[in-house]
Amino acid sequence: MTQDHTQSCPIARVLNIFGDNWTWLIIREAFYGASRFKDFERNTGIAKNLLSSRLNLLVDRGIFEKVNIGERGTRFSYKLTPKGKALRTTLYAMLQWGNEHLYGEGEEAVVLRDKKTGKLVRKMSLISEEGQPLEAHEVQVEIGPGAEPEVIQKLERAHIAIEEKKRAAQS
Amino acid sequence: MTQDHTQSCPIARVLNIFGDNWTWLIIREAFYGASRFKDFERNTGIAKNLLSSRLNLLVDRGIFEKVNIGERGTRFSYKLTPKGKALRTTLYAMLQWGNEHLYGEGEEAVVLRDKKTGKLVRKMSLISEEGQPLEAHEVQVEIGPGAEPEVIQKLERAHIAIEEKKRAAQS
């Protein structure tokens, strides 16, 4: 994606960082334990120059920390920062959606298990302040304190569109 | 991304569908109420030919349903299918990560609110079978029943890498 999504919506901002799907795959590999350039290269199949630019971008954005592990300063390791580790939720959400919608039952390639109980983990959902799972219709996507005019316009249009649909469904 | 990620890992499969970040933005717009070609075009700024190919792909993959709403068969609406609506979790995870890591406190453009209580929703996390939030170290990413040899190899390498790190940290 060459064009920047300048909208201030958080999803657009997230996507601006990721740029393309290679970046998601690099993050995934980091969660699987990759930390060296050659690990990322081997596990993703990404071209060297592309990998190099993506890793630098992720270091710039504070998602990876580049650590010098060489005796003479020539070997580096890429470690997820706390900000990077927090992407786990997004990757797990993709993983669970993929398992449910892209595989037949019992054909999943990867599953998530609760180490303590040995049971599979539940499907993620939004959780209320009180700790209860929330259904889609129970959650309001709302204009936040830092919304720029374009986001406000978009959300207002969205609310109108949703109201129109409700009216159409009722009539 | 021109090269297909042929790995059978669910995250790679998900990314194969999305192809590039435009696709995520199109899905986001659908959650904001967009359903017509011109809505998606206006709200994302994506080029017509690109939008057209992405919408067709998403219809092929069962994420959108293309509905004829024209009197003479020339107007279409793109509606999220249940499979498409289930992507909400992934988008919310991106949104929450973006809010936490890309905005200052009180500068969020969009927030998620529990309609019933009026409170902001919690940060998403994996949930145990019993309904308790799980920390990263409490969850095991495990080889699933349908794993192909390359996924098995990758996860075995991942476990070795993680064990090595633990040993290095202890020594």
Side-chain angles (χ1 to χ4, degrees), chain B residues 6 9 77 85 111 147 159:
Chain B
T6 52
C9 154
S77 171
K85 284 183 183 161
V111 295
H159 285 148

Side-chain angles (χ1 to χ4, degrees), chain B residues 105-122:
Chain B
E105 220 181 308
E107 290 173 0
E108 299 88 349
V110 177
V111 295
L112 298 173
R113 199 176 292 282
D114 182 340
K115 285 187 194 168
K116 208 164 54 192
T117 64
K119 291 182 186 164
L120 296 179
V121 305
R122 275 199 203 170

